[in-house]
Amino acid sequence: MAARNSQSVGLIEPQSLHVAGPMALDCGKTLAQFDLVYETYGTLNAARSNAVLICHALSGNHHAAGYHSEEDSKPGWWDKCIGPGKMIDTDRFFVVSLANLGGYNGSTGPHSLHPETGRHYGPDFPVVTVGDWVRSQDLLRASLDIEQWAAVIGGSLGGMQVMQWAIDYPDRLAHAIVIAAAPKLSAQNIAFNEIARQAIVTDPEFHGGRYYEHGVVPRRGLMLARMLGHITYLSDEAMRAKFGRDLREGRLNYGFDVEFQVESYLRHQGASFVDRFDANTYLLMTKALDYFDPAYATGGDLAQAFAPVTARFMVVSFTSDWRFAPERSREIVDALVDAGKQVSYAEVTSDLGHDDFLLTMPHYVNSLRAYLGRVADEAGT
Amino acid sequence: MAARNSQSVGLIEPQSLHVAGPMALDCGKTLAQFDLVYETYGTLNAARSNAVLICHALSGNHHAAGYHSEEDSKPGWWDKCIGPGKMIDTDRFFVVSLANLGGYNGSTGPHSLHPETGRHYGPDFPVVTVGDWVRSQDLLRASLDIEQWAAVIGGSLGGMQVMQWAIDYPDRLAHAIVIAAAPKLSAQNIAFNEIARQAIVTDPEFHGGRYYEHGVVPRRGLMLARMLGHITYLSDEAMRAKFGRDLREGRLNYGFDVEFQVESYLRHQGASFVDRFDANTYLLMTKALDYFDPAYATGGDLAQAFAPVTARFMVVSFTSDWRFAPERSREIVDALVDAGKQVSYAEVTSDLGHDDFLLTMPHYVNSLRAYLGRVADEAGT
């Protein structure tokens, strides 16, 4: 089953890095110790020059490609793009994919047990930022004895981590590949996140974030949050193409059960998410999104924020993405140009919206494959 | 206080029409009896030719202009546009504004007592459609002894009622004024409504719609629904201009309290709505929106649906409205043109989004004032 085909990285076993020392966080708190869970695909070359880091988005984790068991029905979240001969080619690159701090079912997060109290962290897990994540990712880099990433790659919130890497650790990456991202959230983006958070925290089963101890989960709140997310991940056109106003039973039933196909889709997306995600993690991930603003320290001057950058950038946007529209990517590109940095830009004509970055439209795949081919040549792999 | 100024219609007393006979509804059920609450502003002329009907949107009611008492701090919901010398000029028109069936604090709705059981209707109140509303509005017309409306006017869901009037009662209106509307909801519009409904019905205090009898209201759900609505009423640009990423306390606090101004705004909008609106009514209004599709009966051919129309149309859209964008209004205009009907169209450059129809940008007011001036001339008023 899982070995499947020559385009799959096959069966993968997650690994773990235990960090025993304390790490200071942007919020002022300290994590005394933590674990980072990660996976690797492909082979590190002798020069240790072909490693690329994958940074995940809001609902992602370390499991980006391949399968965990022969019985797995679904591969990792970016399996379409990572594998032998794929866009991110594991025949040439050693791909590292980790789960970020604060996540679920991976690295240390709210669901983990606090080493001192033995209780779930829950609401005591500190608010983590994109900057914190990048600092922790650099510990993973050092532990793997990788001097410099050939590239750091990420979509959406992952793309924000890529920018932060290029600013905070300029020597540690040769290329920065930022896909479907934005230099900071708009007020409307924050508004969507805030409603999702309110849905979670006002759910009576949230119990102030200590629901683990009550044997419940704020299912309704998390479901609403996910449904809302899906509105922003899909373009209006994609929804029209996918569902139109199609009726589930072919006729109006004048009631409040599911009538339109789009309702059915959203309820399904919401319900299935609850089984694989944690509400406290959702809160943390949306806060990290809201806070990301590398130009905050430079009074809003993004070009100045990019001043330390030495990595060469590749920025990709999708025309149907209304969550982080192409103009948001062009803000990144313009600031890099103003800062005198090297940047390539691809605006991919697409239909589906924000989630296009997970897929394989030819223009997207060909642009990135060509770019990454040059990165691999450079890395001597 | 309330007489206020010469531009106000002043103190207004709501009136009520009791309909004793049964009314068949689109859903197949019958309302045995009901009340329609309405207000009038201005004076009906001797020829009874200067009456205009105002159709309200999702959260509207009969109280469109003026004040209910000297102590009222806020006037009716469209007071900016209705009054002596205003866009809808009560010196020339006799303006009738009613609350629709299924509403709250006005005409018969889920909060009303069922005449047979003495209980609140709650979830037993039938699903009502735009067609049902127009049929009930026509009973009000007849009761006022008005042969033909000089114009029927409405924004958003109100504009949908205007279209339905023109199709169902072609002889009963001379002009149809459709503002910030759409010929039917898109899948994305339905998705927003569905999430709002899910927020309400999954609130444990919803009690299957019988919350009145439990002495509670599904406050959290209704609050979320309203917050979500506000995202769609405001343009991204308006949010940026109004809030940007401004921090409420000037700095990040790395917590889950309100941090950004936009969060504060949304929570306030949500919380204040709960005190003046009913959750069951919200469900009914969103269903009426979802169901509206006059071209459903003509296999999707809107021009054919408009075949019976004799009213002359004025259609208005706002460039920053992304809930019902200008292209949705142009679908209406194009179908009317294809059907050989008379139609004027104004696309108003605006910043704020869907809610612009409640406001008074000069291009908007001047276009409609000029159009309505001709309507008044025609009506001999």
Side-chain angles (χ1 to χ4, degrees), chain A residues 12 31 173 175 181 209 228 248 280 282 295 298 314 324 344 377:
Chain A
I12 294 295
L31 269 181
L173 67 167
H175 292 270
L228 192 50
R248 195 154 171 247
N280 280 319
Y282 204 92
T298 53
M314 170 74 182
F324 296 145
S344 303
D377 291 345

Side-chain angles (χ1 to χ4, degrees), chain B residues 329-350:
Chain B
S329 282
R330 286 195 296 265
E331 290 173 36
I332 300 168
V333 172
D334 290 348
L336 285 164
V337 169
D338 288 350
K341 310 301 175 185
Q342 276 192 49
V343 54
S344 303
Y345 176 54
E347 190 170 304
V348 178
T349 301
S350 75

Side-chain angles (χ1 to χ4, degrees), chain A residues 350-367:
Chain A
S350 75
D351 299 318
L352 294 185
H354 187 60
D355 272 358
D356 274 324
F357 85 86
L358 297 168
L359 305 178
T360 55
M361 292 79 68
H363 178 195
Y364 171 44
V365 170
N366 294 340
S367 301

Side-chain angles (χ1 to χ4, degrees), chain A residues 164-218:
Chain A
Q164 194 81 49
W165 260 103
I167 293 168
D168 290 353
Y169 296 98
D171 301 339
R172 298 300 187 192
L173 67 167
H175 292 270
I177 299 181
V178 176
I179 308 167
K184 63 185 175 192
L185 294 202
S186 69
Q188 189 187 69
N189 295 147
I190 293 174
F192 272 107
N193 283 345
E194 166 66 3
I195 296 175
R197 285 191 293 266
Q198 284 294 309
I200 290 169
V201 304
T202 65
D203 186 323
E205 303 203 297
F206 182 64
H207 294 290
R210 300 217 177 275
Y211 46 89
Y212 317 111
E213 300 168 20
H214 291 78
V216 294
V217 290

Side-chain angles (χ1 to χ4, degrees), chain A residues 127 185 187-188 194 197-198 202 220 228 236 244-245 252 254-256 259 263 267 287 290-291, chain B residues 127 184-185 187-188 194 197-198 202 220 228 236 244-245 252 254-256 259 263 267 287 290-291:
Chain A
V127 168
L185 294 202
Q188 189 187 69
E194 166 66 3
R197 285 191 293 266
Q198 284 294 309
T202 65
R220 289 170 289 244
L228 192 50
D236 194 13
R245 292 172 49 90
L252 297 175
Y254 296 103
F256 292 95
E259 292 199 281
E263 297 174 324
R267 290 194 201 178
K287 269 295 179 187
D290 288 3
Y291 285 162
Chain B
V127 168
K184 64 184 175 193
L185 295 201
Q188 189 186 70
E194 166 66 3
R197 284 191 295 265
Q198 285 294 309
T202 64
R220 289 170 291 241
L228 193 50
D236 193 14
R245 292 172 48 91
L252 297 175
Y254 294 104
F256 292 96
E259 293 200 279
E263 297 174 323
R267 290 196 202 178
K287 269 295 179 187
D290 288 4
Y291 285 161

Side-chain angles (χ1 to χ4, degrees), chain B residues 58-77:
Chain B
L58 196 153
S59 64
N61 58 19
H62 53 281
H63 186 40
Y67 298 83
H68 282 165
S69 77
E70 293 286 347
E71 291 71 38
D72 256 7
S73 62
K74 277 189 168 179
W77 59 267

